[in-house]
Amino acid sequence: MYFAALLARTEDGWEASDTELDDVETLSDLADLAREASPDEDTVLVLIEQEDAWFGVVRVDGEEDPRIYVSDAAAAARSSYGEILLTDELLGRDPNDGDDLDALDLDGTEDGESDEDEDDDDAEDGAGIAGAADVPHGPVGDAMILDDLGVSEKQLRLMATDAVTEIAESLGASETLETVR
């Protein structure tokens, strides 16, 4: 079970809205969704939580690139929402590594395998992200993402169960968040 909410900082405090991520396919889509929540280009936090498995925070400040923190990359890698957050950059991967497939003739017949066999293997894998075995267990991203808002790196790393509620409490936005939960 997932919970996703947007917290937008305004002159009057935090405003919350629950959000559907069904139409969000990329980090850019998610950042655009966050920017729409704050016409004044104030700070917007996207909080995503999958029960007690993992949580993620995406911070969008105006037109700046989004900042991301994921509490457990390996758990998030098994989630379609986690896949959105776990970019090559966040995982420290070069997106061009291993992509020189144009130079190879990989039509699936080298070992007597057909394309269908390969697709079946991928479907059974269930890893979600290409190379998910390389995804680290534990937190990844910008642990200082909420530091200037009163949530230190240490506090963020210690959060486990009900992290979204803890973050909202630290920001003084727990009542606001509960209106959309």
Side-chain angles (χ1 to χ4, degrees):
M1 184 71 155
Y2 291 95
F3 174 71
L6 295 172
L7 282 178
R9 188 165 62 176
T10 67
E11 292 177 5
D12 301 325
W14 292 96
E15 290 182 10
S17 59
D18 62 342
T19 186
E20 281 296 320
L21 298 179
D22 294 341
D23 295 332
V24 174
E25 295 180 7
T26 65
L27 181 59
S28 180
D29 293 343
L30 187 60
D32 290 344
L33 183 69
R35 287 183 184 104
E36 289 171 12
S38 178
D40 295 331
E41 296 190 4
D42 290 323
T43 298
V44 179
L45 302 176
V46 181
L47 305 173
I48 303 171
E49 182 175 61
Q50 181 187 6
E51 294 176 338
D52 295 333
W54 68 276
F55 71 92
V57 179
V58 177
R59 179 176 177 162
V60 178
D61 294 300
E63 292 300 317
E64 292 181 27
D65 288 341
R67 296 168 54 193
I68 306 165
Y69 176 82
V70 176
S71 66
D72 186 336
R78 295 185 294 272
S79 156
S80 59
Y81 298 134
E83 287 181 355
I84 295 169
L85 305 181
L86 296 175
T87 63
D88 286 332
E89 182 180 342
L90 188 71
L91 295 172
R93 295 180 182 162
D94 182 354
N96 297 320
D97 278 355
D99 285 346
D100 194 15
L101 297 179
D102 293 334
L104 301 173
D105 182 19
L106 298 177
D107 64 358
T109 59
E110 291 80 21
D111 296 320
E113 295 179 359
S114 68
D115 289 338
E116 289 116 23
D117 291 340
E118 205 170 296
D119 291 342
D120 290 344
D121 290 344
D122 290 345
E124 290 171 12
D125 180 348
I129 294 178
D134 298 336
V135 176
H137 289 274
V140 295
D142 184 356
M144 302 281 290
I145 193 169
L146 302 173
D147 196 57
D148 65 321
L149 300 174
V151 180
S152 71
E153 175 181 359
K154 182 178 179 181
Q155 289 172 303
L156 192 61
R157 289 187 187 273
L158 291 174
M159 291 180 185
T161 59
D162 211 17
V164 168
T165 301
E166 285 184 55
I167 291 169
E169 285 176 5
S170 297
L171 299 174
S174 58
E175 288 180 24
T176 303
L177 181 67
E178 285 306 312
T179 63
V180 298
R181 198 177 260 275

